[in-house]
Amino acid sequence: MIALLAGCGQQSADKKTEQQKNETTRSVGGTRDEHGCLTSAGYVWSAVRNDCIRCFEIGVPLLPVGQTTGSAAYIVFNADSSQVELFFPDGAKNEILDRRKLPGGGYAWNIEDDDTKNVRQIHGQWIIEQRGKLLYKQVANDSIRTVFQGGDGKTRRLYRAEVTFYPQRESASLRFDDRTYELKQYVTADGYGYRNDSVNLRGKGEEATLSFTNGLTLSLQSISQK
């Protein structure tokens, strides 16, 4: 995850909100697993998050190669993306992979074993492969809309930004302060980046930094995606 430049107060508020949500979830009756996760509401235990999660809310969905519908596998990153956890639709045991830098640049997640699964991005799409064989591929969407909110670290104002990503076109559309900005994707060592002459959006996982040439810099957190 990209470290937030400022806005510690906002981080604390976000953490409190998340804690309250988890406490509320756990106080509701229903079927639970050994970790206390409310399975009847779709929660499962994530070792890399050390918490009960719903994969469809925070994970990246991938389908078996050759399928366009059906039950998805999910990849879930930990806080700094140094590890990824694989959740499989067939109930197979979760696998945890470590991030490693690739010789040609970029990263892959695996373990030092020829039989390990390998997670990486190709042309903006996440894949899971094993021994060079493609097993799962990120669900192809023409667009992914994400709503961010956050602050500038200097004032109490809460900003909101709506971003529609177009993976196949390597572009994004940013809606901010009643204006729309068209951004082009650029190569980054990690995470993603989109920009034009006046705006730069850098992000990874659920966090992003939005910078304007007028000096405004925002630390943002994803609050929805569809």
Side-chain angles (χ1 to χ4, degrees), residues 137-192:
K137 178 166 69 168
Q138 186 176 359
V139 176
N141 290 319
D142 180 58
S143 65
I144 302 171
R145 178 177 173 271
T146 303
V147 179
F148 295 92
Q149 70 176 20
D152 59 7
K154 301 175 183 177
T155 67
R156 297 173 64 89
R157 180 179 174 183
L158 190 64
Y159 293 81
R160 181 186 177 95
E162 298 181 12
V163 182
T164 303
F165 298 93
Y166 300 96
Q168 306 305 318
R169 307 179 208 171
E170 299 183 347
S171 64
S173 180
L174 166 69
R175 183 70 177 169
F176 178 81
D177 200 20
D178 293 328
R179 289 188 60 185
T180 300
Y181 302 84
E182 299 301 327
L183 313 177
K184 294 298 293 183
Q185 187 177 12
Y186 63 93
V187 177
T188 62
D190 204 5
Y192 58 81

Side-chain angles (χ1 to χ4, degrees), residues 1 29 32 46 66 105 111 122 127 138 155 190 209:
M1 300 286 183
R32 300 175 185 275
S46 169
I111 56 177
I122 297 181
I127 66 166
Q138 186 176 359
T155 67
D190 204 5
T209 300

